Amino acid sequence: MALILALFCAAPALAQSSFADRTHMSWDGALTGIFLGLLVFSVAYNSAFYSVLRERFLVWQSLRALIYFALTIGLSPLDMGPALGAHSFARQVYLCVLFDLSVAVTGPFIRTYIEPGMIAPRVYRLLGWTAPAILITTPAMLIPDCPPLYMAFRNAMLVGTLLLMCFTLAQAWRRGSRTARFQAAAWSSVLAVYGISLFHDIFLGTPFKMFLFALFGALGLEVMLTAIGIADRFLRLKRAHDEARATASALQVMAHSDPLTGLGNRRAIEKAFVDRRPEAIAIVDLDHFKAVNDRHGHDVGDRVIRAAGAALSSGSALAGRIGGEEFVLLLYGNGAEIKEEAERLRHRIAAYTGETIPELSAGVTASIGLVLVGDSTFGMAMKIADINLYAAKSSGRDKLVLPDQVHAARAA
């Protein structure tokens, strides 16, 4: 602050080149330009973050920056046209409205900015009422000889808003909010300036002559510290969003996968059936699997299941496990190719289980019930395939059944 005071008191900088001949620039103008640049940067900064995460506090902070920008222009000596002359009543209205708007949007900003659960519900609701509470008192600054009661009401609203902001940050800080810590640092100088100004207005009865100078210095500091706080909040939100997406993806995989084999479960197979309708469905059942469990134990049984799943997924068919020792295949191609592929996979099960599980004296065989889908629904095709599987089991196992009369299964 001492540096800024020194700069504002310094002499204007003279032009140092022929290009800028007959021009000069004062430090207050330069610092005003820097402040306006900070505000433009803040809006661009928030817009970039908003394109990634649609968080409302970024919109409110951008609105605050735009209001500050318009207020700074209004307080500058720039010519704003005859309608908003430097000493016109319209200019006074413009400034008063913008000043109150800068205070009014702070409540909605802070209640969307602080992390959820860090503000009590009652305080959260009160923050939503700060905007109308401030704006209904704006005319008090424009009415000549404003009634003392109305002015007292305005002062009460401003003091109440100031105290509410302080209480909100203190409460969120106590509850462990990182955002509250950043915003407390950002607002400390602004709240101090407002507090001194209110003290002058209410208790001393004279305006705080350094108000605007002190306010814009405090606002410049607030813009920078708030940008740092928003970056921290953004990174934590993005991390939380990424973790949530990863968790949702993992749950999606778990909901559609068989944990033992890694193949799709019945839900995944049905979805695949709808997404890309196959030419045929086959239900595969391992023969005498109970005897494997009884003789070698469930550990070996699980290895057989995994080996069978690996064998079935080695071909062009989409394989899934639908429970126990039962698998399902979605097969694509013409009739001869489908039957040939199903038979190849059935033989592959016996060969692969024999190769990879030495405890077995021979590979585990499998029976298959196959059905051409035709116009059948998934449920109906599965029922017919199950009937054909039963026929394969009843006729001696270790075979594929596709009776001629059900080559083109139809929904009943």
Side-chain angles (χ1 to χ4, degrees):
M1 185 61 73
L3 177 61
I4 295 175
L5 278 168
L7 291 172
F8 266 95
C9 294
L14 299 178
Q16 299 297 311
S17 70
S18 59
F19 178 78
D21 193 24
R22 297 182 182 179
T23 67
H24 71 279
M25 179 180 66
S26 61
W27 281 112
D28 57 348
L31 291 175
T32 300
I34 292 172
F35 179 61
L36 292 175
L38 280 174
L39 295 175
V40 172
F41 168 76
S42 176
V43 174
Y45 182 83
N46 294 329
S47 299
F49 284 157
Y50 188 77
S51 67
V52 179
L53 293 177
R54 306 285 176 164
E55 293 291 335
R56 286 182 297 164
F57 70 82
L58 295 168
V59 177
W60 286 114
Q61 177 61 7
S62 295
L63 181 58
R64 292 177 72 230
L66 292 173
I67 292 171
Y68 290 160
F69 189 94
L71 185 59
T72 305
I73 295 296
L75 291 167
S76 73
L78 291 174
D79 183 7
M80 299 181 69
L84 291 171
H87 302 291
S88 66
F89 180 72
R91 184 82 160 241
Q92 185 181 358
V93 172
Y94 174 87
L95 293 174
C96 288
V97 169
L98 284 174
F99 175 80
D100 281 10
L101 280 174
S102 70
V103 179
V105 299
T106 302
F109 163 69
I110 201 66
R111 79 175 194 160
T112 55
Y113 183 37
I114 298 293
E115 301 95 329
M118 296 296 175
I119 304 175
R122 182 176 297 178
V123 176
Y124 185 88
R125 288 193 296 270
L126 285 174
L127 289 169
W129 284 101
T130 55
I134 293 297
L135 294 178
I136 61 175
T137 69
T138 302
M141 300 299 294
L142 305 171
I143 301 173
D145 300 322
C146 178
L149 186 61
Y150 189 21
M151 183 58 72
F153 176 66
R154 173 178 173 79
N155 289 333
M157 291 298 99
L158 289 171
V159 171
T161 300
L162 178 64
L163 294 176
L164 179 62
M165 296 303 162
C166 293
F167 178 81
T168 300
L169 291 181
Q171 182 183 75
W173 189 318
R174 287 198 309 270
R175 295 185 176 189
S177 168
R178 281 173 57 89
T179 299
R181 289 171 170 81
F182 278 105
Q183 202 58 33
W187 277 357
S188 57
S189 56
V190 177
L191 292 175
V193 171
Y194 279 134
I196 294 170
S197 178
L198 288 172
F199 178 78
H200 275 256
D201 291 341
I202 297 171
F203 297 102
L204 301 182
T206 58
F208 177 35
K209 293 182 180 180
M210 297 289 291
F211 175 71
L212 290 179
F213 171 75
L215 177 62
F216 282 109
L219 288 177
L221 182 62
E222 188 237 331
V223 168
M224 291 186 289
L225 293 177
T226 299
I228 295 172
I230 285 176
D232 178 79
R233 180 93 167 92
F234 171 82
L235 290 174
R236 286 185 289 124
L237 281 170
K238 189 174 185 307
R239 190 181 306 119
H241 279 242
D242 290 345
E243 289 174 357
R245 275 199 298 268
T247 300
S249 178
L251 290 174
Q252 179 78 359
V253 170
M254 290 173 62
H256 290 79
S257 298
D258 171 55
L260 182 59
T261 63
L263 299 177
N265 58 17
R266 184 185 179 98
R267 182 181 299 155
I269 290 296
E270 185 167 4
K271 183 178 184 304
F273 180 93
V274 173
D275 292 343
R276 185 190 172 201
R277 193 175 180 85
E279 293 299 319
I281 284 182
I283 296 180
V284 183
D285 186 83
L286 302 183
D287 296 328
H288 306 294
F289 182 72
K290 185 176 182 301
V292 173
N293 276 334
D294 292 343
R295 185 176 306 165
H296 301 285
H298 289 281
D299 288 346
V300 172
D302 288 346
R303 288 164 60 194
V304 169
I305 293 291
R306 284 194 291 268
L312 290 172
S313 60
S314 65
S316 61
L318 178 63
R321 183 185 176 209
I322 55 176
E325 65 271 26
E326 279 195 339
F327 298 84
V328 64
L329 297 172
L330 300 186
L331 296 130
Y332 301 88
N334 59 42
E337 291 172 344
I338 288 169
K339 187 171 182 181
E340 181 181 338
E341 176 67 1
E343 281 284 23
R344 188 188 72 78
L345 292 175
R346 187 175 67 81
H347 290 296
R348 177 66 179 151
I349 290 173
Y352 193 66
T353 54
E355 292 170 6
T356 58
I357 306 173
E359 290 89 341
L360 301 177
S361 55
V364 175
T365 63
S367 301
I368 294 181
L370 182 66
V371 61
L372 299 181
V373 171
D375 296 329
S376 299
T377 63
F378 176 78
M380 180 57 68
M382 288 288 286
K383 287 180 181 178
I384 298 174
D386 196 52
I387 292 172
N388 295 342
L389 174 64
Y390 180 78
K393 291 282 189 181
S394 300
S395 58
R397 294 182 173 83
D398 192 18
K399 62 180 63 177
L400 180 150
V401 169
L402 175 63
D404 292 339
Q405 64 268 31
V406 292
H407 275 194
R410 294 287 187 265

